[in-house]
Amino acid sequence: MTNSDIVRATFTAYLDQDRDAADRLLADDFVFTSPQDDRIDKATWFDRCFPTVDRLTSYEVLHVVPTGGHDVFVLYEYELSGGGRFRNTEVHTVRDGRVHEVQVFFGGRIDTR
């Protein structure tokens, strides 16, 4: 599997709520950072972030771009069940076939007119 394949598989595991698959794809020392989370560990991510898929009415990965090194950039759009469509970018650091770090950069609301 390429680093891009691994990153795509993590999104699939999240959307399918397949915790076992996600656990296999995330390294034991996994850390997650977003504007709402400051370097939380794997257990905290599973408790706080993983179960949030029910907030979404749609989710589409637009681009998965490897850097040639360990990092993979991802651009995606999603719509919340409470309304609003948004776009975010993430950087996933993949080593030895597992994601070690995710950094999320929140985008703004997308005008759907």
Side-chain angles (χ1 to χ4, degrees):
M1 272 181 122
T2 68
N3 288 351
S4 295
D5 293 334
I6 292 163
V7 168
R8 285 183 185 278
T10 61
F11 279 95
T12 299
Y14 167 72
L15 292 171
D16 292 345
Q17 289 294 277
D18 186 342
R19 187 180 172 118
D20 290 336
D23 189 51
R24 286 189 302 274
L25 292 162
L26 302 178
D28 293 337
D29 65 350
F30 173 78
V31 293
F32 179 88
T33 300
S34 78
Q36 298 172 338
D37 307 285
D38 188 21
R39 295 190 57 80
I40 61 174
D41 65 11
K42 185 176 179 177
T44 305
W45 182 82
F46 270 119
D47 288 341
R48 184 184 301 170
C49 304
F50 190 74
T52 62
V53 75
D54 62 341
R55 298 177 46 226
L56 307 173
T57 59
S58 69
Y59 194 96
E60 180 181 7
V61 174
L62 301 174
H63 301 286
V64 177
V65 182
T67 63
H70 295 292
D71 292 334
V72 177
F73 285 86
V74 181
L75 177 68
Y76 59 90
E77 287 183 9
Y78 61 97
E79 189 167 346
L80 295 174
S81 56
R85 187 163 186 82
F86 301 87
R87 184 179 286 170
N88 291 350
T89 299
E90 297 184 1
V91 179
H92 292 235
T93 302
V94 181
R95 290 188 309 276
D96 302 321
R98 297 177 86 188
V99 177
H100 286 259
E101 183 172 5
V102 172
Q103 299 173 65
V104 180
F105 305 92
F106 288 172
R109 182 182 293 261
I110 296 172
D111 186 5
T112 58
R113 286 184 268 158

